[in-house]
Amino acid sequence: MERTFSIIKPDATKRNLTGKVNAMIEGAGLRIVAQRRIQMTEAQAKRFYEVHAERPFYGELVEFMTSAPVVVQVLEADNAVAKYREVMGATNPEEADAGTIRKEVALSIGENSVHGSDSQENAAIEIAQFFSEAEIVG
């Protein structure tokens, strides 16, 4: 079993789409083994997205991620990272496949409703930023 990290972003939580997104996650065969709704702080957002610190959109991204609550999650399945990236769909919802989260609920490339880890290594780092091992109760 593999784990990955997910965030349901402010554009989705503001529109009360957490349940719909969770249903799509579970429908794809991923198990939600930890979940919490939080108001991400500026410090948390800056740390989480520090890989993009030199990019021109970094400040806007931090501002967006702290603009409303998010839902942080740990997902589990065989090949969880790849499976979740498939169900999320392309970053640009206009390019996402039908039936993916981003095609169904995202507003734009910037407000694309969900984040998912891009590797097992990053999943472990991202999970540890928001959850202790005792909080993951698969």
Side-chain angles (χ1 to χ4, degrees):
M1 240 356 127
E2 184 177 286
R3 289 179 178 162
T4 193
F5 181 72
S6 166
I7 300 175
I8 302 175
K9 295 180 179 181
D11 62 289
T13 63
K14 283 193 267 190
R15 292 178 293 137
N16 205 29
L17 296 174
T18 301
K20 181 174 184 167
V21 171
N22 281 348
M24 295 175 81
I25 289 168
E26 291 177 331
L30 291 143
R31 182 177 180 83
I32 301 167
V33 295
Q35 178 172 258
R36 182 182 318 114
R37 185 180 183 95
I38 65 168
Q39 179 69 50
M40 195 178 286
T41 67
E42 183 177 343
Q44 285 174 314
K46 283 182 173 180
R47 179 174 170 222
F48 190 80
Y49 288 107
E50 70 186 345
V51 66
H52 299 301
E54 301 303 316
R55 311 280 286 276
F57 59 82
Y58 177 69
E60 188 176 310
L61 179 59
V62 168
E63 186 176 325
F64 168 63
M65 291 301 292
T66 59
S67 67
V70 298
V71 176
V72 292
Q73 303 173 305
V74 180
L75 311 178
E76 195 172 78
D78 289 331
N79 301 309
V81 171
K83 187 175 280 191
Y84 187 49
R85 293 192 69 77
E86 184 177 318
V87 76
M88 282 192 313
T91 302
N92 183 345
E94 292 179 14
E95 298 171 3
D97 290 338
T100 62
I101 295 169
R102 289 177 173 154
K103 186 66 163 187
E104 300 301 319
V105 305
L107 298 173
S108 67
I109 194 167
E111 293 180 303
N112 62 17
S113 299
V114 288
H115 162 86
S117 302
D118 62 2
S119 68
Q120 290 180 37
E121 296 76 25
N122 283 338
I125 292 165
E126 293 172 353
I127 289 167
Q129 187 173 339
F130 293 96
F131 294 96
S132 71
E133 194 61 35
E135 295 173 304
I136 302 171
V137 295

